[in-house]
Amino acid sequence: MGNGTMDIVIVGGGTAGWMAASAFARTMNRQARIRLVESEEIGIVGVGEATVPHIKAFNQLLGLNEAQFVARTQGTFKLGIEFRDWLRVGDSYVHGFGTMGHDVGLLPFHQYWIKARLMGKAGDLLDYSVNTVAAMRGKFMPAPTDVPANNPLSSIAYAYHFDAALYARFLRQFAEERGIQRIEGKVREVETNPENGHVSAVRLESGERISGDLFIDCTGFRGLLIEGTCKSGYEDWSQWLPCDRAVAVPCAKVGPPTPYTRCTARGAGWQWRIPLQHRTGNGYVYSSQYISDDEAAATVLANLDGPALADPKPLRFVTGVRRKPWIGNVVSLGLASGFMEPLESTSIHMIQSGISRLLQLLPASGDIDPVLVDRYNEQARFEAERIRDFLVLHYKATERDDTPFWNHCRTMPIPASLQANIDLFRHSGRFFRNAEEMFAVVSWVQVMIGQGIMPSGYHPLVDQMPEEDLVRFMASVREVVSKNVDLMPAHEQFIARECPAPQVTA
Ligand SMILES: Cc1cc2nc3c(=O)[nH]c(=O)nc-3n(C[C@H](O)[C@H](O)[C@H](O)COP(=O)(O)OP(=O)(O)OC[C@H]3O[C@@H](n4cnc5c(N)ncnc54)[C@H](O)[C@@H]3O)c2cc1C
């Protein structure tokens, strides 16, 4: 087969389906016919509302206007995540995006911070990053383009919070305007080619038959094609990521939106708080072994900023990954490919990286060489395992012993890869980012320190800097960061000026 036109069928119209449709519309609409089937009756999970900075690259690929995108999704800006009560009740720390302090010579900033801290001459880690200081002061602006690279403002990194339903609608319009055909209906049956096991068509309840060369399974947790038809198998990771349910409830907004997500540890899991322009999203992610659904719903309702705007919505999941996200001519994206819980907002990012991996490994026609499939699956697994380790770190490295859930987390066995990273960091603050893993060294360092893993030593070359210089260096970084944050506008003020959303009555 040559490089002819390809028939691509996306099954599912949640965040995954419409992100895939939009990206394909933008990159291959001349070479492929792209159709998306979704069922309004089944609906979408509709809870993914916090993101990570990588999403800006996705928006750039689509060529979106940022102000319009934020306004149309009732969006706000996110500089990081505040973790409350994770190490102990009453404790808090921030995982900020972007950089920390500034590196000196061969060594990252945190190496100098460790020595100064061990000497009792450094403040909290969050005092040295413009992202974390701005977050805690409720300030926001993007990095100005006219400041030199050594100005901390140049390192501001951010993501978005948005309304999941509005995001899906926004992407749908984008994709439809670029020629993607949407077909309403429920898939009743999947037809396969007996010769190679590839999916040849999906048949809807209406009887309509939609054939294709490549099928993108975006059907959510059910994994209609990847599991139902291709029997990929699911690798259950709940021995490390014990939460298996969530209850989500939006509430009225009562104050200015914070430029960060808040994750507060609770007795049997944790609660998210995601500020939007028109409301605040909340949810309790918990383990059903340690708390009942009713108690979980009561807990989240008792911990809202303002009045609840809807009944609590229950969700169930099993943390883990599909053994093979790509089989034959079926590629699964989003919840169909697995779910590792929302603690670090990694799910939408994994949709994005799945799309970009697929575009990199795109077959030329329906004749799909296993060499492409194997590489895709290998990379997807690598990405998932490294994210898994990062998430497990938050649960494992705790001093909490006040509930059976936290006792379980604190004492559970963890993957050997994570244990090795913790051991190396505890020894001398060293951490290595592997290849294309999602989280940068700065993220790991902030969470390790925040979760109480204080190194007992540091890199020997830190001693190249005389101690008086080290103390002066730490103080000056802190001061420069603080003074620059003074120059930033309040988050709410920035939104009002640049990207106010239409007023809605909740
Ligand atoms: C509690 C919770 C909180 C989360 N928070 C975050 C977060 O803050 N950040 C983040 O990045 N991610 C988060 N996620 C994950 C995020 O919600 C998902 O990654 C995202 O919504 C993608 O979902 P999806 O499109 O894969 O599936 P869905 O939204 O479930 O969409 C499935 C689609 O498939 C269609 N469909 C299914 N079966 C059929 C059929 N037989 N015929 C036709 N159509 C069918 C449905 O109609 C629907 O359109 C969270 C998830 C949960 C559970």
Side-chain angles (χ1 to χ4, degrees):
M1 248 193 208
N3 292 356
T5 309
M6 195 161 22
D7 237 316
I8 300 181
V9 179
I10 300 169
V11 186
T15 303
W18 285 114
M19 280 178 79
S22 304
F24 295 169
R26 187 75 184 178
T27 50
M28 55 169 136
N29 58 349
R30 293 211 188 121
Q31 287 167 275
R33 175 163 70 140
I34 302 150
R35 287 171 296 169
L36 183 147
V37 187
E38 70 171 316
S39 157
E40 253 166 48
E41 191 192 316
I42 296 176
I44 63 169
V45 55
V47 277
E49 309 207 313
T51 59
V52 290
H54 309 65
I55 196 172
K56 288 173 66 200
F58 186 75
N59 288 357
Q60 266 159 20
L61 170 78
L62 301 191
L64 299 185
N65 171 303
E66 182 175 75
Q68 209 179 53
F69 163 73
V70 172
R72 293 227 351 238
T73 58
Q74 292 283 346
T76 64
F77 297 91
K78 173 179 173 185
L79 292 166
I81 305 175
E82 183 194 18
F83 290 95
R84 285 193 176 179
D85 300 341
W86 281 80
L87 176 59
R88 351 185 161 85
V89 175
D91 184 84
S92 90
Y93 72 94
V94 180
H95 165 200
F97 304 134
T99 59
M100 221 178 350
H102 65 85
D103 302 346
V104 181
L106 281 177
L107 300 180
F109 173 79
H110 76 265
Q111 282 292 346
Y112 296 90
W113 178 83
I114 293 167
K115 178 173 177 185
R117 185 76 170 179
L118 290 171
M119 289 164 59
K121 303 275 186 192
D124 283 345
L125 196 55
L126 63 74
D127 294 343
Y128 301 89
S129 152
V130 75
N131 261 62
T132 48
V133 173
M136 290 298 100
R137 287 206 222 150
K139 303 254 193 153
F140 176 77
M141 70 180 188
T145 47
D146 56 354
V147 295
N150 64 357
N151 182 312
L153 295 178
S154 71
S155 68
I156 296 171
Y158 64 92
Y160 311 100
H161 302 118
F162 50 59
D163 178 313
L166 296 179
Y167 185 54
R169 204 178 301 163
F170 180 88
L171 291 179
R172 173 176 164 185
Q173 187 182 344
F174 178 94
E176 286 189 314
E177 280 171 5
R178 285 159 186 79
I180 304 293
Q181 192 192 337
R182 175 185 181 275
I183 302 163
E184 167 65 34
K186 220 192 256 184
V187 173
R188 195 190 59 201
E189 205 185 311
V190 181
E191 291 178 13
T192 51
N193 176 342
E195 273 173 32
N196 58 8
H198 283 196
V199 170
S200 43
V202 291
R203 201 177 279 279
L204 307 187
E205 277 186 344
S206 62
E208 189 178 352
R209 182 178 181 277
I210 302 157
S211 62
D213 301 312
L214 185 65
F215 287 81
I216 314 295
D217 185 350
C218 298
T219 58
F221 290 125
R222 49 184 74 68
L224 193 69
L225 279 69
I226 196 70
E227 199 57 63
T229 308
C230 303
K231 311 281 182 241
S232 168
Y234 195 78
E235 194 168 312
D236 181 337
W237 284 348
S238 49
Q239 77 268 34
W240 297 308
L241 294 169
C243 294
D244 59 354
R245 292 193 191 174
V247 53
V249 52
C251 76
K253 177 185 152 200
V254 292
T258 54
Y260 58 88
T261 307
R262 180 179 294 150
C263 297
T264 306
R266 302 253 176 252
W270 60 277
Q271 181 173 334
W272 79 76
R273 176 178 166 280
I274 298 178
L276 302 176
Q277 290 193 41
H278 61 327
R279 63 165 167 82
T280 301
N282 310 275
Y284 186 2
V285 178
Y286 60 97
S287 162
S288 60
Q289 274 189 41
Y290 296 95
I291 192 174
S292 70
D293 296 342
D294 287 349
E295 280 175 280
T299 305
V300 69
L301 287 170
N303 287 287
L304 300 176
D305 293 350
L309 298 175
D311 289 336
K313 177 180 174 173
L315 296 137
R316 290 179 177 210
F317 51 86
V318 178
T319 52
V321 285
R322 208 62 77 188
R323 285 190 194 281
K324 289 196 171 151
W326 183 349
I327 295 178
N329 65 340
V330 173
V331 184
S332 57
L333 292 173
L335 300 172
S337 66
F339 182 55
M340 276 190 283
E341 84 135 85
L343 186 57
E344 283 277 356
S345 320
T346 44
S347 199
I348 292 173
H349 169 71
M350 289 173 82
I351 299 171
Q352 176 184 342
S353 66
I355 292 169
S356 89
R357 197 177 303 123
L358 175 58
L359 289 172
Q360 296 297 332
L361 290 164
L362 191 72
S365 66
D367 182 17
I368 297 164
D369 197 305
V371 77
L372 301 173
V373 180
D374 291 348
R375 182 54 68 94
Y376 182 98
N377 287 336
E378 218 174 87
Q379 291 191 350
R381 169 156 286 266
F382 174 79
E383 176 184 51
E385 285 180 354
R386 298 295 294 178
I387 291 174
R388 174 199 68 196
D389 284 6
F390 188 57
L391 297 177
V392 175
L393 170 66
H394 298 67
Y395 287 95
K396 172 72 181 175
T398 180
E399 291 174 8
R400 284 189 68 155
D401 58 3
D402 53 315
T403 67
F405 173 82
W406 288 107
N407 281 334
H408 163 77
C409 294
R410 203 186 63 252
T411 54
M412 69 183 169
I414 55 171
S417 45
L418 172 59
Q419 189 62 54
N421 279 331
I422 291 178
D423 292 345
L424 180 64
F425 190 76
R426 207 189 286 283
H427 173 266
S428 49
R430 289 176 239 219
F431 185 87
F432 295 90
R433 184 185 201 171
N434 270 333
E436 293 178 15
E437 85 170 272
M438 177 180 172
F439 287 101
V441 174
V442 175
S443 295
W444 281 89
V445 168
Q446 290 177 92
V447 175
M448 294 253 204
I449 298 285
Q451 295 286 152
I453 304 174
M454 183 64 194
S456 51
Y458 51 86
H459 195 291
L461 294 181
V462 171
D463 289 336
Q464 286 278 323
M465 188 185 280
E467 283 183 4
E468 323 78 81
D469 291 0
L470 174 65
V471 173
R472 228 176 295 126
F473 170 60
M474 296 308 297
S476 89
V477 168
R478 194 172 171 174
E479 193 189 328
V480 169
V481 165
S482 179
K483 284 202 166 138
N484 276 285
V485 171
D486 289 344
L487 306 173
M488 294 170 67
H491 182 215
E492 192 175 40
Q493 206 184 336
F494 180 84
I495 291 173
R497 197 176 67 210
E498 301 293 334
C499 45
Q503 293 284 321
V504 286
T505 39

